[in-house]
Amino acid sequence: MTLASLPVLILDCQTTGATPAHGAILEIAWTLYCADADVPLPAKVTHLLVHPNDDDGIPRQVSRITGITSADLERASAPEDAWGEMMSDIAAHPSPLPCVIHFARFERPFITQLHATVTGDDSLPLDIVCTHEICRRLLPSLPRRGLRAAAGYLGWTVGECRRSADHVSATAFVWSELVKRLHSDHGLTTWDDLNTWLANTPAAQSRKRVYPMDRDKRLALPDRPGVYRFLRSNGDILYIGKATSLKTRVNSYFRKQTNIPDRLLEMLSQAQDIAITETDTAIEAAMLETDLIKQQHPPYNVALRQRNRELWFSNPDFDSFQLAPDAQHTLGPFPRPDPFIALHTLRHILDNTLTLNPDSLQLLLAMPEDYLPELAIASEGLTLFREKYPSLARNSLRTWLRLGLQLRTKDKEEEGENTDAEADDTREFEWDPDSVCSALEHQLSTVILRYWRARCLQRLSNCVISWKPGPKQERRLLVVSAGHIIERRWVKRPPHSLASFDILFRSTQDTLAVFDIETYDRLQVLLTELRRLLKGPHNPQVLIPRKKLYRKSSLKAWLRPL
């Protein structure tokens, strides 16, 4: 029987650890499949597995990458029932049955242990071939050959969550594509031929990565601002990015040969085409990028995704928050209310209207329970804070915000001195009274950052911004209304009034009503780009209804807390 017509078992499992000694199978899926099958998606059987002796639940990291929660295990099967069902499905086929797994070196120990536990037999009734090992020999120059990279390179989209059923479909597709190449490139037609070839053909070690993207295509990109999209061979969008120069930015991905993050290599292993949209300026590219990411949901964009994000609005005392503005909730938008709740809690603790206990401590530090200090240490830290700022206890909220502004300035100076932008937040941390006091100060600094940013976003939601992109260019002018660009043009001189622009004079409540995640991110990008313009010779100016004209010096003062 040829490889194309041979029924094989496609198998995948997700686990709670790297080895059977440190984890167990969480989910398993399988299907019987022929490479020349007409159906694009093979029928699959999938099971979540429950382990009665595991009282710790699903590890947080495993739940994050699989999307499986402890609550999902209420419908889980016993491991022996799932394995017994699979054995029943393959009982009519000769043993050992040809089995295809991507990266079998990982799965084999888990399924061997499961089979031994259920049957008492250490020998699997499966003859396993690994598609990852085939890829190492057929595609030696491909930067990454994991399932997501290999399937994407060949033209299949793997879901973002690691689920066994999805991986079985992807493995089946990879297998069918590799069978064609094994036959055309090496004349392999049978399972025995394949096993002999794998045993006698060492995996090639390519000294230089060869990316699938056509070099001439990326070198022909224009030296202009715009948005680019990396595409799979099937047209799916992998990543959306912005660029001051499309040619320079896109080609920068392919110049480095060392110290490249694995996730980037995985993406570049799949990118075989590119689409671009040119814009007049880098700011317009940045604002277009955030909207396109929301519309297209590219898997390799982490920032600016919609996901389950929310915006919060507060009353002036920071003691009431809700997800929509009204006549009382006129401060915002805020991505999270936690630092404001911490400030409110701290004020009540210091004026003795609230006691320090596990619940108030969690509100005070805005951290999961597992990361909180002991109450005794937290109490000493509060004492240090009280001694450091003795006049705060009964002062107005304005005084607290003034202190937050001072602490924010201090934090900005320390951020400028800290070059370790990739600090590991998961490192072990020992609490002491000084660190508790510092954490409280950081909460106040965060309050002023979020508060000031929200004020800036409100003003930018209806404005006219102009700047000089280059020394030989006219000024670029954008009219923003309700968070959207409604007009753009080139002008010789900056405007000094809003008389000729169609900008509505909205109340605070009406201004807040336009904010959703898309508008929030778009204006965040505009704010970031405006701060970038202040660092160069661009002479930016902003006109805001009922406020004033912000020139470069007043813009710097306005944005200093950020």
Side-chain angles (χ1 to χ4, degrees):
M1 190 174 292
T2 65
L3 284 175
S5 59
L6 179 69
V8 298
L9 180 72
I10 309 288
L11 180 65
D12 182 89
C13 59
Q14 301 299 317
T15 70
T16 59
T19 66
H22 300 94
I25 296 177
L26 175 64
E27 183 181 44
I28 188 169
W30 65 86
T31 189
L32 284 163
Y33 180 68
C34 293
D36 61 1
D38 293 331
V39 287
L41 282 172
K44 300 171 291 294
V45 179
T46 180
H47 284 279
L48 288 173
L49 304 187
V50 62
H51 299 272
N53 297 326
D54 186 4
D55 298 325
D56 297 330
I58 302 173
R60 186 180 303 172
Q61 176 74 357
V62 174
S63 184
R64 184 182 67 81
I65 64 176
T66 62
I68 301 171
T69 66
S70 296
D72 293 327
L73 295 182
E74 294 178 3
R75 57 183 178 84
S77 306
E80 57 270 19
D81 291 342
W83 191 255
E85 185 176 345
M86 193 186 82
M87 289 294 102
S88 176
D89 285 350
I90 66 175
H93 296 269
S95 183
L97 178 67
C99 176
V100 175
I101 300 175
H102 199 86
F103 210 69
R105 186 172 60 183
F106 175 83
E107 259 101 342
R108 186 191 293 270
F110 285 96
I111 60 176
T112 299
Q113 183 188 69
L114 177 57
H115 180 70
T117 301
V118 173
T119 66
D121 185 0
D122 289 336
S123 58
L124 280 171
L126 304 172
D127 184 7
I128 297 174
V129 157
C130 177
T131 44
H132 182 268
E133 290 299 319
I134 299 175
C135 287
R136 289 182 66 200
R137 290 157 175 80
L138 288 183
L139 308 170
S141 300
L142 197 66
R144 284 293 179 268
R145 294 173 291 270
L147 182 58
R148 193 180 304 277
Y153 168 77
L154 294 168
W156 186 272
T157 300
V158 181
E160 289 189 62
C161 288
R162 297 183 186 177
R163 298 302 298 263
S164 291
D166 185 34
H167 284 200
V168 163
S169 294
T171 303
F173 174 78
V174 169
W175 168 246
S176 65
E177 292 298 308
L178 294 181
V179 164
K180 297 172 188 174
R181 296 187 180 215
L182 288 168
H183 176 66
S184 62
D185 297 352
H186 298 276
L188 304 181
T189 59
T190 69
W191 188 259
D192 288 341
D193 289 344
L194 174 58
N195 277 309
T196 301
W197 178 76
L198 284 169
N200 297 331
T201 307
Q205 299 295 325
S206 176
R207 294 185 178 182
K208 185 176 181 180
R209 296 187 180 98
V210 178
Y211 297 102
M213 175 77 71
D214 181 66
R215 183 173 181 271
D216 292 337
K217 181 175 293 186
R218 55 184 174 82
L219 289 176
L221 292 173
D223 187 18
R224 287 180 47 80
V227 172
Y228 58 92
R229 307 163 191 81
F230 283 126
L231 309 174
R232 291 190 183 97
S233 59
N234 62 358
D236 287 349
I237 297 176
L238 290 160
Y239 180 80
I240 296 174
K242 65 181 184 299
T244 302
S245 165
L246 288 164
K247 183 174 186 175
T248 301
R249 180 68 184 110
V250 169
N251 282 283
S252 69
Y253 285 94
F254 302 92
R255 292 195 181 104
K256 288 182 66 176
Q257 286 288 322
T258 58
N259 299 323
I260 306 174
D262 279 348
R263 183 175 171 83
L264 178 55
L265 285 175
E266 184 182 86
M267 188 266 287
L268 293 177
S269 298
Q270 304 171 61
Q272 299 194 42
D273 202 356
I274 192 163
I276 63 168
T277 301
E278 295 183 40
T279 60
D280 287 307
T281 64
I283 288 184
E284 290 159 275
M287 296 179 75
L288 175 61
E289 176 201 33
T290 180
D291 287 341
L292 290 177
I293 288 172
K294 304 289 192 310
Q295 296 166 15
Q296 303 294 336
H297 311 291
Y300 287 90
N301 284 93
V302 177
L304 302 176
R305 294 280 294 275
Q306 178 80 35
R307 298 192 184 274
N308 296 316
R309 297 157 59 203
E310 297 174 322
L311 294 177
W312 293 83
F313 300 87
S314 167
N315 68 347
D317 292 329
F318 298 135
D319 59 6
S320 176
F321 292 87
Q322 60 185 39
L323 293 172
D326 59 21
Q328 286 74 44
H329 297 80
T330 55
L331 298 182
F334 305 123
R336 292 174 59 189
D338 303 21
F340 301 96
I341 294 172
L343 169 59
H344 181 72
T345 304
L346 179 58
R347 294 182 70 196
H348 280 284
I349 288 176
L350 290 186
D351 65 15
N352 298 315
T353 58
L354 184 67
T355 59
L356 183 66
N357 56 47
D359 291 335
S360 62
L361 180 59
Q362 193 163 7
L363 294 176
L364 198 60
L365 296 180
M367 291 181 178
E369 185 178 351
D370 295 345
Y371 295 95
L372 293 174
E374 296 177 2
L375 277 178
I377 294 175
S379 181
E380 291 183 45
L382 271 168
T383 301
L384 281 179
F385 185 88
R386 196 191 303 266
E387 292 171 351
K388 196 170 182 179
Y389 308 103
S391 62
L392 276 180
R394 301 189 181 279
N395 251 318
S396 67
L397 182 58
R398 184 179 295 273
T399 305
W400 283 84
L401 293 178
R402 192 177 296 118
L403 173 61
L405 187 56
Q406 296 171 9
L407 294 170
R408 173 60 189 158
T409 302
K410 177 185 173 185
D411 279 357
K412 283 188 68 181
E413 292 172 354
E414 292 176 354
E415 288 169 7
E417 295 171 0
N418 180 21
T419 58
D420 184 13
E422 300 295 330
D424 183 5
D425 292 332
T426 62
R427 64 189 184 282
E428 292 186 9
F429 180 75
E430 294 293 333
W431 285 102
D432 59 32
D434 285 331
S435 60
V436 171
C437 182
S438 296
L440 296 176
E441 292 175 332
H442 180 67
Q443 290 285 57
L444 288 179
S445 171
T446 304
V447 162
I448 202 66
L449 172 62
R450 299 276 174 84
Y451 172 74
W452 206 269
R453 181 182 291 150
R455 289 182 61 184
C456 293
L457 295 181
Q458 283 189 37
R459 293 183 179 183
L460 289 178
S461 66
N462 296 285
C463 73
V464 175
I465 176 173
S466 68
W467 74 101
K468 201 168 176 58
K472 296 182 179 181
Q473 290 180 290
E474 293 185 326
R475 294 185 70 85
R476 187 62 171 170
L477 182 143
L478 301 179
V479 181
V480 180
S481 182
H484 293 269
I485 299 175
I486 62 170
E487 184 182 346
R488 60 190 86 200
R489 63 177 187 250
W490 296 100
V491 296
K492 294 185 180 298
R493 298 180 184 83
H496 295 287
S497 77
L498 293 172
S500 61
F501 298 102
D502 186 22
I503 292 184
L504 299 178
F505 289 77
R506 292 178 169 83
S507 66
T508 299
Q509 190 172 339
D510 289 340
T511 297
L512 292 178
V514 308
F515 277 94
D516 52 19
I517 290 296
E518 291 89 343
T519 302
Y520 178 81
D521 283 348
R522 191 182 308 114
L523 292 174
Q524 279 259 70
V525 166
L526 179 59
L527 181 58
T528 299
E529 292 297 316
L530 186 57
R531 293 171 62 200
R532 182 182 61 80
L533 291 177
L534 288 170
K535 298 177 182 178
H538 305 287
N539 191 24
Q541 295 190 12
V542 179
L543 275 167
I544 295 175
R546 290 197 296 267
K547 295 295 179 182
K548 63 176 183 179
L549 169 64
Y550 286 94
R551 292 184 173 90
K552 187 171 184 178
S553 58
S554 53
L555 271 176
K556 284 184 176 179
W558 179 37
L559 302 179
R560 187 170 292 121
L562 304 180

